[in-house]
Amino acid sequence: MKLRTLICTTALAATTATGAMAEWSLKEAAAPYAGTTVDVVFLTRPGYDAIKAMLPAFEEETGIKVNITDHPYENALGEQVRDFVAGGDLDIALIDLVWIGNFAENEWILPLEEVQARFPDIVDPALDMDDFFPLVLNAFGGWNDTIYGLPFDNYSGLLFYNRCMLEEAGFDGPPETWQELMDVYGPALTKDGKYAFALQSKRNETQSADSFARMLWPFGGSFLDADFRSNLLSPESQAGLQFRQDLMAYMPDGIVAWDHAETVNAFSQGDVAMITEWSSFYTTMVDPATSRVADCVAVAPEPAGPAGRKPALGGFSLAVASQADEAEQAAAYLFIQWATSAANAGEYLERGGVPARQSAYADPALAEQFKFIPALVESWQEGVPEFRPRFAEWPEITEIVQEFGTRMMMGEVSIEDGAREIGTRMEAVLERAGYYSGDKPLAQ
């Protein structure tokens, strides 16, 4: 089903079911599936801990058992792919932004419309698809105009800054632009063993997503042009990648080896004045048990470049696995619907998750408690769904970006030569996949 059609259809169903809303209950809807176990892969991250803490209420209400296997991010894709290829046990797919093309094209997941048509009695009349941020629903749950999953544990890149450090340096707020961050804030804040900024750039997905891609889009660049040819040698892409190189003058030594943990820790210990990190790390930075600067933490949208604010976009969706049997598919959908519901979004947020429900962020009490909310809401108005291309070939391409993106930062290759090498190898991957012959649509 097309995205717009699905939203309108769901809204109509909710409207016509208004009189029956009081009659629908999770317990009654789940009764035919009590005793069913559904299997899902989770990550070792705060948003997953939040749902696990809430899970006993769901299991008690429904009689459905949710069997969770925890994996670090780096292992989660491989574990799921092996399971789906073998026709294994997983009943729910956990889908990163950049995995959805792979999962959808291999038919490992069911379109949401198909699930709802197959099990109409378990569709909550209060589902309210319009309540999801449209950008987030499309980017994380949609592929080629069809909705498969519901957004879960979704992030935007935000600028976290140490208000106290900035004030001591004479600033009354954060930089509005990347250029201002480097030219004005960089020299003023980099001294006495402290640094203005840290850009996590370790040679894994962090290099390609959090570092390389972060500097493409605000400067008007991109991985690909409209014909799926490399756009990395365009003046805009080159400007963004050169800016990253120049900004390293105001970052800690060894930044190329830093992952999220090192970056968040350096900020939390007061060694770095500003970082661009995922919204999900907010609780770590403001917890006095893990942060020496908890009272000084402030949040803003990522700085703007010549092309405007194009913040990093990351996160996941949950979708029903096609390999599951009928009872498992129904039970899986009940869990997904519950975990991403508007009714549970507030508690999920308070426990450390980041929901994609607009209604959750409209609560003034929550906005007062979680200072990142205004910046997050602003970021989700103009993000780029293809921040990293979402097609099935991304896992192969990201390895190329990681290698040469790292070599660029280390000065082993020039910005131009590194971009040319990535482009050549990236186009070879896309040619083998059939994009240039017309065998595959130019969808990302």
Side-chain angles (χ1 to χ4, degrees):
M1 177 180 279
K2 300 298 184 186
L3 172 60
R4 184 176 299 173
T5 305
L6 175 61
I7 292 175
C8 292
T9 302
T10 305
L12 177 62
T15 301
T16 56
T18 300
M21 262 192 184
E23 301 175 11
W24 192 93
S25 74
L26 176 62
K27 183 175 183 177
E28 291 181 3
Y33 312 104
T36 303
T37 297
V38 295
D39 291 277
V40 61
V41 164
F42 267 14
L43 304 184
T44 51
R45 293 185 177 182
Y48 300 81
D49 292 339
I51 281 294
K52 285 193 284 188
M54 298 166 64
L55 186 57
F58 172 82
E59 292 183 333
E60 181 178 351
E61 184 77 4
T62 63
I64 294 168
K65 170 67 176 175
V66 181
N67 183 38
I68 296 168
T69 304
D70 292 313
H71 286 285
Y73 174 84
E74 291 75 17
N75 297 345
L77 175 60
E79 289 293 329
Q80 293 185 97
V81 168
R82 283 188 288 272
D83 189 272
F84 290 131
V85 168
D89 299 323
L90 289 176
D91 307 302
I92 297 172
L94 174 70
I95 310 170
D96 188 6
L97 173 75
V98 291
W99 303 342
I100 193 160
N102 191 15
F103 282 48
E105 290 181 359
N106 280 295
E107 299 182 347
W108 294 333
I109 51 178
L110 297 176
L112 186 59
E113 179 195 31
E114 182 177 333
V115 176
Q116 292 178 336
R118 195 176 292 181
F119 308 105
D121 293 341
I122 66 173
V123 179
D124 186 350
L127 176 60
D128 193 5
M129 296 288 286
D130 288 331
D131 189 40
F132 290 108
F133 284 90
L135 168 70
V136 180
L137 178 63
N138 182 38
F140 297 103
W143 176 250
N144 209 15
D145 291 331
T146 298
I147 296 296
Y148 289 87
L150 296 181
F152 174 74
D153 191 42
N154 309 105
Y155 324 132
S156 177
L158 301 173
L159 179 69
F160 293 91
Y161 63 97
N162 185 320
R163 175 183 48 78
C164 303
M165 289 180 73
L166 267 61
E167 288 176 355
E168 289 172 7
F171 300 112
D172 59 5
E176 284 292 321
T177 67
W178 281 109
Q179 202 67 49
E180 185 184 18
L181 188 155
M182 181 166 72
D183 295 347
V184 180
Y185 288 70
L189 292 162
T190 303
K191 57 185 178 181
D192 302 327
K194 309 291 185 183
Y195 297 88
F197 186 68
L199 181 65
Q200 58 278 15
S201 300
K202 187 172 182 178
R203 186 174 166 175
N204 54 27
E205 193 71 12
T206 301
Q207 165 64 220
S208 52
D210 296 85
S211 184
F212 192 97
R214 180 172 259 117
M215 294 303 174
L216 284 182
W217 296 98
F219 288 82
S222 61
F223 286 99
L224 300 170
D225 64 18
D227 297 319
F228 266 41
R229 296 294 178 177
S230 173
N231 193 44
L232 295 178
L233 288 174
S234 70
E236 295 82 3
S237 294
Q238 286 288 290
L241 294 172
Q242 185 61 55
F243 178 86
R244 179 178 72 155
Q245 202 73 12
D246 296 340
L247 188 59
M248 288 176 67
Y250 305 109
M251 299 187 210
D253 294 338
I255 192 66
V256 181
W258 283 28
D259 212 331
H260 299 283
E262 292 83 1
T263 305
V264 171
N265 183 64
F267 177 82
S268 299
Q269 298 306 307
D271 296 327
V272 172
M274 294 176 286
I275 61 174
T276 42
E277 259 295 2
W278 300 113
S279 43
S280 58
F281 287 105
Y282 173 79
T283 52
T284 300
M285 296 182 218
V286 298
D287 184 352
T290 53
S291 176
R292 297 175 61 184
V293 302
D295 293 337
C296 295
V297 175
V299 192
E302 288 195 18
R309 294 193 198 278
K310 303 293 181 184
L313 194 62
F316 301 81
S317 66
L318 296 172
V320 176
S322 59
Q323 68 182 11
D325 66 28
E326 185 173 275
E328 291 165 343
Q329 287 178 352
Y333 180 68
L334 281 164
F335 170 73
I336 293 169
Q337 186 175 239
W338 172 85
T340 63
S341 67
N344 284 329
E347 182 181 353
Y348 181 58
L349 179 62
E350 289 178 320
R351 290 183 179 274
V354 184
R357 291 284 187 172
Q358 297 182 70
S359 56
Y361 301 110
D363 184 340
L366 289 176
E368 177 64 26
Q369 182 179 356
F370 298 96
K371 303 297 185 183
F372 70 87
I373 286 178
L376 179 69
V377 171
E378 181 176 340
S379 294
W380 277 348
Q381 304 308 313
E382 52 180 328
V384 183
E386 61 274 17
F387 183 80
R388 289 167 287 164
R390 301 182 302 151
F391 44 43
E393 292 71 31
W394 174 252
E396 186 174 358
I397 289 172
T398 188
E399 297 281 349
I400 301 167
V401 176
Q402 289 164 28
E403 177 184 352
F404 286 92
T406 300
R407 293 181 64 186
M408 284 181 197
M409 293 183 76
M410 296 179 70
E412 295 177 357
V413 296
S414 69
I415 300 301
E416 183 176 351
D417 288 346
R420 181 178 292 108
E421 191 66 33
I422 294 172
T424 299
R425 297 184 183 209
M426 180 168 60
E427 288 185 2
V429 171
L430 298 176
E431 184 170 19
R432 288 196 301 271
Y435 288 99
Y436 303 142
S437 65
D439 291 342
K440 296 189 75 170
L442 304 184
Q444 58 169 320

